[in-house]
Amino acid sequence: MPLAAATLMLGVALSFTAPYLSLFGVEQAGMSPLQLGAFMTLVSASGVFASTAVGRWSDRTGCNRAPLIASLVIAALGYGALGFLRGYAELMLAGALLLGPGAASLSQIFSFGRAVLRTGDPAHEEFASAALRTLLSVAWVFGPAVGALILAQGGFTGLFAFAAASFTASAVIALRMTEMGPDANERPTSCHESAEDNEDKEEDASAALEEGIAATAVAAERIATHAAVTTNGRATTYRVLMALTLIGLAANATMILLPLYLVQALHSTRLTVSAALGAGALLEIPMMLWLGTMSSKLRKPRWLTAAAAVHAAYFIALAMVSQPLAVVPLQILSAAVVAITSCLGMVYVQDLMPGETGVATALFFNASRVGAILSGVLSGMIIGAFGYRAAFLLCAGLALGAFALLGFDAMLGKRRVRRA
């Protein structure tokens, strides 16, 4: 199906660029660790702003395809420019204006997918979302290895050209898709009609509310109860997003640190980098498919809490590694964290924010990007001052912080079950 093809091409583009962007900054642009951190931070900050703005706009208008296509085109332009730019100021400008806004394509393709694949069956929708995540993992199985081969033959210019072509291909596929889901006959045929339909629904809802609510004690009690539930839900949402931000901070720091750690500290090759990342992606696939099938039956807070504990164990193990190939089997721990947080984390945030799918999806991905904002500068400073092993131990501490936040809600859920 076209949506699957667009998602796969986006995954290919990301798998070509993400593992080697830090190497590009150090080897080609001559960045210091602190300069590299500032560059990655700027790209992430720009991505957070763009994703949030686009998510709110798509929720308000009901239009998801246009911002998806725009972000894919901007990403293609950004990585095409990286093939030729080497000056630090020029790279910072391209990162802020192109790479960051282009990163909104990741959250937008899931918002678009959720709108297109809406069936009214939560279990089916969650499995479809997990299937899209699995396609990204499929791309990461072979993408880093193919990227390493392209890098060896064509340098960073060739690598970024292939990435730009992949982003463009995804945009072309998305352009040929309609914004209709299975319930097309019940949905507006354009963004303009969607906005008008939303206004009509709001007017109908207001009229129904005025007719149905009387100034009675029962109505007041219901409103008060609803407010309390909403407040509790928002508090849970904030804690979950904070925990996901800490996990994202650690994960993004690893994406910066691991290639440099393997190549510079452990004196390995780029093929080892691709082997480690490819192994993790391969292991994610069966995990994601199983989680997608069982998602509606699983207690998401408990699984996310367990993922944070596994994340901490992964970073402690990385800090103890002395042989490059020992990093590869450790990727089973990383794969478990990625599978759980991506499949269950996104659905959990969307469930906590009903009726705000675009914003919820953007917030989920922005949690990772906010982590990336901090990870860029922090990883650069820590590498320069204390080395790679200290940076991995700091990541383990961040994962333990996420464990505490998620564990709080897991315990609350357990108490509610007992009371029921």
Side-chain angles (χ1 to χ4, degrees):
M1 70 186 289
L3 179 60
T7 304
L8 182 62
M9 293 309 300
L10 174 59
V12 168
L14 294 174
S15 68
F16 278 3
T17 56
Y20 305 109
L21 194 56
S22 58
L23 289 174
F24 166 77
V26 172
E27 296 179 1
Q28 289 291 305
M31 298 181 189
S32 67
L34 189 58
Q35 286 178 321
L36 175 63
F39 171 71
M40 302 296 280
T41 294
L42 181 63
V43 172
S44 299
S46 176
V48 168
F49 176 80
S51 296
T52 303
V54 169
R56 293 188 183 281
W57 184 83
S58 63
D59 278 344
R60 187 174 65 252
T61 62
C63 184
N64 295 282
R65 190 181 65 160
L68 170 62
I69 295 171
S71 59
L72 288 168
V73 171
I74 291 171
L77 293 174
Y79 283 101
L82 287 192
F84 304 97
L85 300 178
R86 293 296 181 271
Y88 186 66
E90 298 168 344
L91 289 171
M92 292 288 279
L93 188 62
L97 299 181
L98 297 175
L99 299 186
S105 58
L106 186 57
S107 61
Q108 279 304 301
I109 202 160
F110 283 97
S111 294
F112 181 64
R114 189 161 176 115
V116 169
L117 301 174
R118 186 179 292 117
T119 62
D121 181 1
H124 182 273
E125 292 175 4
E126 290 176 10
F127 179 77
S129 178
L132 292 181
R133 294 291 311 186
T134 302
L135 286 172
L136 290 179
S137 294
V138 169
W140 275 83
V141 171
F142 64 86
V146 175
L149 294 176
I150 296 173
L151 189 57
Q153 297 297 319
F156 283 101
T157 299
L159 178 68
F160 291 138
F162 269 88
S166 299
F167 279 116
T168 302
S170 183
V172 171
I173 296 170
L175 185 63
R176 298 177 65 86
M177 288 189 290
T178 63
E179 197 138 6
M180 295 293 188
D183 54 345
N185 58 344
E186 297 178 6
R187 296 174 59 193
T189 57
S190 69
C191 299
H192 177 68
E193 291 177 8
S194 176
E196 291 181 348
D197 186 60
N198 287 339
E199 291 177 0
D200 292 340
K201 288 181 178 179
E202 290 176 1
E203 292 176 0
D204 294 341
S206 298
L209 187 63
E210 290 175 0
E211 294 175 1
I213 295 180
T216 62
V218 175
E221 183 179 354
R222 288 178 179 174
I223 294 171
T225 302
H226 175 73
V229 171
T230 301
T231 301
N232 292 334
R234 290 297 182 186
T236 300
T237 303
Y238 294 146
R239 284 192 296 271
V240 171
L241 288 173
M242 178 60 70
L244 291 173
T245 298
L246 293 177
I247 292 174
L249 197 164
N252 280 284
T254 306
M255 188 58 67
I256 298 172
L257 294 172
L258 191 59
L260 297 174
Y261 181 54
L262 288 170
V263 174
Q264 296 189 346
L266 299 182
H267 308 291
S268 187
T269 65
R270 293 167 180 168
L271 287 177
T272 307
V273 175
S274 66
L277 297 175
L282 181 62
L283 292 167
E284 290 167 15
I285 294 173
M287 296 181 189
M288 286 184 173
L289 290 174
W290 183 82
L291 288 168
T293 303
M294 301 296 294
S295 177
S296 60
K297 302 177 182 178
L298 300 176
R299 294 181 180 176
K300 298 177 182 65
R302 290 189 181 182
W303 278 80
L304 291 171
T305 303
V310 172
H311 215 198
Y314 169 66
F315 289 119
I316 293 172
L318 279 181
M320 299 171 63
V321 163
S322 58
Q323 297 297 322
L325 291 179
V327 173
V328 178
L330 289 178
Q331 298 311 303
I332 190 172
L333 301 179
S334 176
V337 175
V338 172
I340 293 171
T341 54
S342 60
C343 287
L344 302 184
M346 182 170 67
V347 174
Y348 188 37
V349 174
Q350 290 172 340
D351 289 343
L352 290 171
M353 302 178 65
E356 299 178 273
T357 302
V359 173
T361 306
L363 286 174
F364 170 79
F365 284 104
N366 282 350
S368 175
R369 293 193 184 104
V370 169
I373 292 174
L374 302 174
S375 69
V377 173
L378 286 178
S379 59
M381 293 174 62
I382 294 171
I383 291 172
F386 304 106
Y388 291 99
R389 298 185 192 279
F392 287 131
L393 290 176
L394 174 62
C395 290
L398 295 171
L400 290 175
F403 174 81
L405 288 168
L406 292 167
F408 180 81
D409 287 312
M411 291 300 296
L412 285 180
K414 187 175 181 181
R415 290 177 183 175
R416 291 190 188 109
V417 171
R418 286 179 178 177
R419 289 175 183 174

